[in-house]
Amino acid sequence: MVRRVLSLTSGRIAVGILVLIALLAVCGPWLAPQDPLATSDNTLASASGAHWLGTDYLGRDVFSRLLDGSRVSVLGSLEVALTALVVGAVPGILSVYSGRVFEWLTLRLADTLVALPFLLFAIAVIALLGNGITQAMLVTGALVSPLFYRVSRAATLAVARSPYVEAAIVSGASIGWVVRRHVWVKVLPPIAVALAQTIGVGFVIVSSLTFLGIGVQPPAPTWGGLLASDLGYLSHRPWAPVAPALLIMATVWACNLLADAIRDVSGEAGRALVLRRKARARTDASTPVSVGGSR
């Protein structure tokens, strides 16, 4: 699947952007030219050689804070996506094989989680447990998990009704073996699409919470926090929100683009893509190459 995704132009663009964001998250604090928390008297300065994106209202280097804050945004979005994957996908697969009671309970729980406003619920959890991004993201991931539950359940139901799975169960194969051998391969592509989309949703959630000053203790830098701090000084630096806003938009766009690319190369569309390439390769191989040109 990875090679198929990279064979598409949209897949290469999405992977390239996400790899760049990942490098910023890993190496950003070390690449920052200045201390992102150090204040100075040079407040609200414009872009210069010493401060590539200027300084904020406390004289802190904006470019350094942007690099340092990338780690919080990336880790927070991954926490949301991975928590939703574990909490949603596993019960979604097991609900098909674990009996009516487990199926009914998980369906009602998924309906309940969908009805809860996850952003407000995350704020309430932070108010109860303290200001921290980890607990907010774990709770938000659990509230987003019905997406994975429904995707994995629908894919498992489609596979469970196939003749080869029914034959394996009749012949005495265990549920675990059937899931590992037959179900997981069919469920993985739609789960990968949902995972890519949820990472983008996680970026929006992290940026929204940190924009409101929730989840991260100041003066720790975040992309959403930079947006919030810049809005109060637009008359002095009207271009200041552009850099963090572009980073957030590019990351979410790349996640959605990657999800589209995965969907395009999986299932029937993926098989059709492979068949078209094989046919094109056979046509190119059978086409005679003229040497010396025609007369």
Side-chain angles (χ1 to χ4, degrees):
M1 181 185 293
V2 176
R3 285 181 293 182
R4 293 183 186 179
V5 170
L6 293 178
S7 66
L8 298 178
T9 303
S10 58
R12 291 193 296 270
I13 294 174
V15 171
I17 294 175
L18 294 178
V19 167
L20 179 60
I21 298 298
L23 290 176
L24 287 180
V26 174
C27 306
W30 289 279
L31 295 176
Q34 300 183 28
D35 185 358
L37 303 180
T39 61
S40 67
D41 296 331
N42 188 19
T43 59
L44 300 176
S46 58
S48 62
H51 305 285
W52 291 4
L53 294 178
T55 60
D56 62 4
Y57 65 100
L58 292 177
R60 298 171 295 192
D61 183 62
V62 175
F63 181 67
S64 300
R65 290 179 63 78
L66 196 67
L67 292 178
D68 190 70
S70 58
R71 177 172 297 180
V72 174
S73 300
V74 172
L75 290 180
S77 63
L78 290 178
E79 287 177 1
V80 171
L82 295 178
T83 302
L85 172 63
V86 174
V87 175
V90 175
I93 296 174
L94 295 179
S95 65
V96 180
Y97 297 102
S98 298
R100 296 278 185 176
V101 176
F102 183 82
E103 180 184 17
W104 186 87
L105 289 175
T106 53
L107 282 172
R108 300 293 78 77
L109 180 59
D111 294 339
T112 302
L113 292 177
V114 169
L116 294 175
F118 54 83
L119 190 58
L120 295 179
F121 202 77
I123 295 174
V125 168
I126 290 177
L128 292 174
L129 302 180
N131 197 14
I133 195 69
T134 299
Q135 55 262 38
M137 294 302 99
L138 292 178
V139 172
T140 305
L143 296 177
V144 179
S145 62
L147 169 63
F148 287 91
Y149 177 84
R150 291 177 174 177
V151 167
S152 60
R153 174 176 166 79
T156 305
L157 282 172
V159 178
R161 294 169 182 157
S162 57
Y164 57 88
V165 172
E166 294 179 351
I169 294 176
V170 170
S171 63
S174 64
I175 299 300
W177 185 89
V178 171
V179 171
R180 291 192 305 269
R181 182 66 178 81
H182 297 294
V183 176
W184 182 246
V185 178
K186 302 295 184 181
V187 175
L188 184 58
I191 286 181
V193 173
L195 182 64
Q197 291 177 335
T198 306
I199 292 175
V201 172
F203 266 95
V204 175
I205 295 172
V206 174
S207 301
S208 301
L209 290 176
T210 54
F211 179 85
L212 297 174
I214 299 171
V216 177
Q217 294 287 350
T222 59
W223 290 353
L226 288 173
L227 274 175
S229 63
D230 291 332
L231 291 180
Y233 301 92
L234 290 179
S235 59
H236 299 278
R237 301 170 67 243
W239 44 266
V242 173
L246 284 178
L247 279 175
I248 296 171
M249 291 172 57
T251 305
V252 176
W253 178 74
C255 291
N256 292 330
L257 193 65
L258 180 61
D260 292 339
I262 295 173
R263 186 184 62 244
D264 291 340
V265 301
S266 59
E268 295 296 332
R271 284 190 285 272
L273 178 64
V274 173
L275 291 176
R276 286 197 302 269
R277 288 178 179 167
K278 288 182 178 179
R280 189 183 305 122
R282 287 195 296 267
T283 303
D284 294 340
S286 61
T287 301
V289 179
S290 61
V291 178
S294 59
R295 295 182 181 179

